[in-house]
Amino acid sequence: MARAALSCLIEPGDRVAGRWVREYGPEVVAWDLTRSQKQPPYAEGRRVGSPRARERARDPGRELERIQRAGGRFVCPGDSEWPTQLDDLGDARPLGLWVRGRPDLRLWALRSVAVVGARACTEYGSHVAATLSAALARAGWIVASGAAYGIDAAAHRGALAAQGATLGVLACGVDRAYPSGNAELIDRLAQQGLLVAELPLGEHPTRSRFIMRNRVLAALTRGTVVVEAALRSGSLSTARQARDLGRITMGVPGPVTSAVSAGVHELLRTGAEVVTEAAQVVELVGRIGADLAPAHRVPLTPRDRLPRGAVQVLEVLPGRGTVDSTWIARESGTERDEALGRLYELLSLGFVERQGDRWRLSTPPAEHPIRW
């Protein structure tokens, strides 16, 4: 009850108020800020919250009833559903989280990856975010993002399209559809996934609340992938906070001519991991030695399988016309008998043809698999 009251009164990420709660306990601080007629001495004259916020904080029971009627709940430190990785935020740790959705938040967060990026993304960025998130979902990972336009929405939709799990961290109350253009998507997140916010029902987003929301997204997940971001981008703050918290930070490179990818490229220059597919993300955030991405190997061609001496002879044959074995031996730097032996090897494999005493490349060159 005390933490619910304080979440109505204190802005997300307030380290000073977080220190009060740590030192004096949430019950004492809630009483001092909402009921006491005197200013608490540790506040040092600082006023907390607007008159409306102070009025709401005086009746936390009503706020808890409202979230229950909305099909949600309030989760705070000490609850079995509380994701303990949020404790890494120290005094900036959320006082509690307002949650909509049936799944267990702690269990989902244990295997989650944040996929974030630009709101004004390109078609390339939207495609990458959707396909990456769909592949992560099929691999059993929960995709977390901020439910905003652009990369966030593409990430959520990609996970949902793969019948996967996805989690939205909001900068407003979990009953508000912001942005309004994503109202249908946010409703699907509440029905099929999870919606999480530090702010109680009815609260609206602000610029500072978006920035503070990013720290929760960074701390809650195992790693953060930035798909597209300009040099000034809120998604970069998510990645930086993830890095500061010891989480894995990753970036998907884009065209070097694209301003929307300039921030990602700068992030990669400062130590973030390059990823281009979901398997590489899973390798970084998954179990060490067990979730390795498959190695990409260049497919071998028939020419790649040839012995070095045969390649040496084959390379001197002209593209057109015929030559004799003496010329081939001289140009390849081999003895005539060795060159002749190599030519017969190449003939049996279909690389060359003999015309009388002269030799030429097969037309077309052999591309069939060699069976040794």
Side-chain angles (χ1 to χ4, degrees):
M1 292 286 283
R3 286 182 175 275
L6 290 173
S7 74
C8 297
L9 191 62
I10 296 171
E11 281 294 304
D14 188 330
R15 289 184 175 276
V16 175
R19 177 171 55 80
W20 297 345
V21 172
R22 173 172 54 82
E23 291 180 352
Y24 300 101
E27 299 89 347
V28 171
V29 177
W31 176 269
D32 286 347
L33 296 182
T34 60
R35 304 285 179 168
S36 177
Q37 300 300 315
K38 296 181 180 180
Q39 184 78 349
Y42 53 79
E44 297 178 351
R46 180 188 177 198
R47 297 287 292 179
V48 178
S50 65
R52 175 178 173 273
R54 296 178 69 82
E55 184 61 32
R56 292 186 67 179
R58 290 180 65 86
D59 191 0
R62 182 179 61 185
E63 300 301 322
L64 294 173
E65 289 174 3
R66 289 179 65 199
I67 188 66
Q68 190 172 12
R69 287 197 300 269
R73 56 202 178 275
F74 181 70
V75 178
C76 62
D79 291 344
S80 60
E81 195 181 351
W82 178 255
T84 55
Q85 59 266 43
L86 291 176
D87 299 345
D88 293 345
L89 292 168
D91 289 339
R93 179 184 69 173
L95 294 160
L97 292 172
W98 304 85
V99 182
R100 281 181 67 194
R102 288 186 291 271
D104 186 286
L105 174 61
R106 184 182 69 85
L107 296 180
W108 269 32
L110 288 174
R111 195 176 169 85
S112 63
V113 178
V115 180
V116 297
R119 288 175 172 81
C121 67
T122 65
E123 185 176 346
Y124 160 81
S126 178
H127 172 76
V128 169
T131 55
L132 182 72
S133 299
L136 285 169
R138 284 191 290 269
W141 287 81
I142 286 80
V143 175
S145 199
Y149 288 134
I151 297 300
D152 287 16
H156 289 306
R157 291 191 175 103
L160 290 170
Q163 298 183 342
T166 183
L167 180 157
V169 181
L170 306 183
C172 55
V174 292
D175 60 331
R176 290 183 65 111
Y178 187 90
S180 58
N182 282 350
E184 182 180 354
L185 173 62
I186 292 171
D187 185 61
R188 286 187 67 192
L189 291 177
Q191 297 299 320
Q192 298 175 237
L194 280 173
L195 286 177
V196 177
E198 291 183 79
L199 297 157
L201 298 186
E203 288 296 318
H204 61 84
T206 64
R207 182 179 179 84
S208 63
R209 287 173 173 178
F210 277 117
I211 299 298
M212 291 297 104
R213 180 273 308 273
N214 292 344
R215 87 192 193 288
V216 176
L217 191 56
L220 194 64
T221 53
R222 298 283 293 273
T224 296
V225 184
V226 184
V227 176
E228 279 188 327
L231 289 172
R232 290 178 60 87
S233 173
S235 56
L236 292 181
S237 72
T238 307
R240 293 186 186 108
Q241 295 208 48
R243 179 187 59 200
D244 293 342
L245 289 167
R247 310 295 194 265
I248 304 295
T249 58
M250 297 156 278
V252 178
V256 296
T257 55
S258 173
V260 185
S261 289
V264 180
H265 297 157
E266 188 63 25
L267 188 69
L268 294 173
R269 290 186 67 243
T270 56
E273 300 284 348
V274 177
V275 292
T276 58
E277 58 183 25
Q280 295 169 351
V281 176
V282 173
E283 179 179 275
L284 290 167
V285 301
R287 296 166 298 169
I288 297 174
D291 292 322
L292 299 177
H296 293 287
R297 294 184 175 88
V298 177
L300 293 175
T301 66
R303 183 184 287 249
D304 294 329
R305 298 176 181 271
L306 291 173
R308 180 178 178 183
V311 172
Q312 194 173 350
V313 169
L314 182 62
E315 286 180 345
V316 302
L317 285 165
R320 294 182 180 181
T322 61
V323 290
D324 59 30
S325 57
T326 302
W327 185 92
I328 294 171
R330 183 178 69 249
E331 294 299 317
S332 63
T334 60
E335 297 292 334
R336 182 177 179 278
D337 290 342
E338 182 183 353
L340 194 60
R342 295 298 186 183
L343 285 167
Y344 275 102
E345 291 176 4
L346 294 168
L347 177 65
S348 66
L349 296 172
F351 284 96
V352 299
E353 299 172 358
R354 180 171 180 175
Q355 294 183 348
D357 292 333
R358 301 177 73 83
W359 299 83
R360 61 172 292 169
L361 291 173
S362 297
T363 52
E367 292 296 339
H368 59 77
I370 300 173
R371 302 190 183 278
W372 299 93

